Amino acid sequence: MKFCQRKITIYSLLLLIISYSQILFSQSLLQSGPMVGYSAMREVGFWVQTNSEAEVFIKYWNTKNPDSKFTTDKFKTFSQNGFTAKLVADNLEPSEVYNYELYINNEKVQINYDLKFQTQKLWQWREDPPEFSFVTGSCFYVNEEKYDRPKKPYGSDYQIITSIYKSKPDFMLWLGDNYYLREADWDSWFGILHRITHTRSLPELQPLLGSVHHYAIWDDHDFGPNNSDRGFWNKDKTLEAFKLFWANPSFGVNGNAGITTYFQWADVDFFLMDNRYFRAPNNLADENKPYLGDEQIQWLIDNLVTSRAPFKFVAVGNQVLNPVMGRGIETYEMYKLEKEKLLSLIEKNKIEGVIFLSGDRHHSEISKLEREKSYPLYDITVSSLTAGVSPGKDENNPYRISQSIDQHNFAKITVSGPRKNRTLECNFYDVNGNVIYSFQLNENDLKYNR
């Protein structure tokens, strides 16, 4: 009898060791993430990356009913897709908060920070639109000495990501240069995947990915070489990689390639534009050269015309309003005829509430363009998160109404107030979460019948 009990005890111990080993193994398979992507009323997207082939899924539940759990479909990661997976939680209800768990090879991964997401609120015809906030920024450089340029590291102040996390936004909108392809990266699929994986794996980034929704556009450094354009020979591969590593609601419009997409949060519309895939070279001797291109502009105008949002954010990699160009400065002014066409279409169609969001410049500022018979247009430029700072205080941007923020920073934008009287508050923060500069607008400041 004692012998049998001893056998059972040893057997139980072996099972415990095997189980614990499986948990540790599943833990070691996680490369980065999970990340919460787009949010709709009945559906939310996720992203995760393993470091070798594995099967992943997410288990989730409404915080009000933790005993009723649902699971996403299972997805197997492969080396050719960078061991990435995109999952969808679709058994959801509007206006709710959910917790979730990540499973790799059927074992729960132990994560020591909150994993949660939210669905969009169903407020229409019921109540005023909800208050919400989002963080935005650009130029996120993570050092890797082996492939970086010699001398002083270009990236620094990674604690800014922790400050963003602590600010508790509903989502983050990445404004381009979200990773920096190096000379050793952009001419091979392996190099592209390595660069994004290295950046996405930054430890400080993981809690932010896990409980804040994320959307993104790109600029030159996550598209290809510096100042690259439609002629970049490997752009379809960098586009493929962008799709693998971001959980936007869609990529490209009207059957075209590129990253253009749209989403709504509460009563505010966001138009995410592609300023690289269709863009002619900066120095092309053609006054009609495209930047966004006719079809993308037409898509934007069509949707702006039908939008009833009090604020219509148009996110573009480069500055839209700043007329300064040259000396390595990329602005929409280099494509002057197309810029004038876009602005004139906004005015001709009396589209209200337009605000541009841009990055790229390695300093932050707000530009304001006064228009004779229209409301003023604003361009909120937010840069840089961690990449080297390029001071703008001595640059002659005649439309700048803010100080030039010449340090690593991010912006948090909060939209609040009752319907037809919505207010936007934009606060710029330093790496430690201290306010640098504040700015406010009311929706009625962006209307024609002021």
Side-chain angles (χ1 to χ4, degrees), residues 53 77-84 189 193 237 240 244:
E53 287 190 10
T77 64
F78 296 97
S79 60
Q80 189 58 25
N81 64 14
F83 301 115
T84 62
W189 184 235
L193 293 180
K237 283 298 182 183
E240 184 180 347
L244 285 176

Side-chain angles (χ1 to χ4, degrees), residues 37-84:
Y38 69 88
S39 172
M41 290 190 187
R42 304 296 304 275
E43 181 177 292
V44 166
F46 298 87
W47 172 93
V48 68
Q49 185 180 32
T50 60
N51 53 41
S52 61
E53 287 190 10
E55 188 176 68
V56 300
F57 69 91
I58 280 171
K59 187 176 290 186
Y60 57 97
W61 60 94
N62 192 315
T63 56
K64 297 175 183 175
N65 188 13
D67 294 329
S68 180
K69 296 187 177 182
F70 305 91
T71 60
T72 66
D73 290 339
K74 294 181 178 180
F75 189 95
K76 191 165 185 179
T77 64
F78 296 97
S79 60
Q80 189 58 25
N81 64 14
F83 301 115
T84 62

